[in-house]
Amino acid sequence: MLAKAEIVVEARVKSLSIGESGFIGTKDSPTRWIRADLEIKRVIKGKFPGKEATVYGAVYPPGPFRELTTMALSYGFDGHDTFE
């Protein structure tokens, strides 16, 4: 996945929220979504001019819930809060 990515950044999750998306889906599609506000520390691959980004994902697999939660919980943890 990393090899195919056009942009790779090192970032910190500043905030994480999980809630209803408001979308009407099929019976198998998730209606709850994750929103994460990221602070971009550095660009590893590609070009990304911003210092912040907002990402959205699904709570259900293959959503990034575990990784984003870990990042949000460790925000500000004495230099151990940045992840690729």
Side-chain angles (χ1 to χ4, degrees), residues 36-59:
D37 295 312
L38 304 176
E39 177 183 339
I40 307 300
K41 302 303 285 179
R42 70 182 175 111
V43 177
I44 297 169
K45 179 181 175 183
K47 294 183 180 182
F48 190 85
K51 295 293 180 189
E52 296 182 340
T54 300
V55 295
Y56 295 89
V59 175

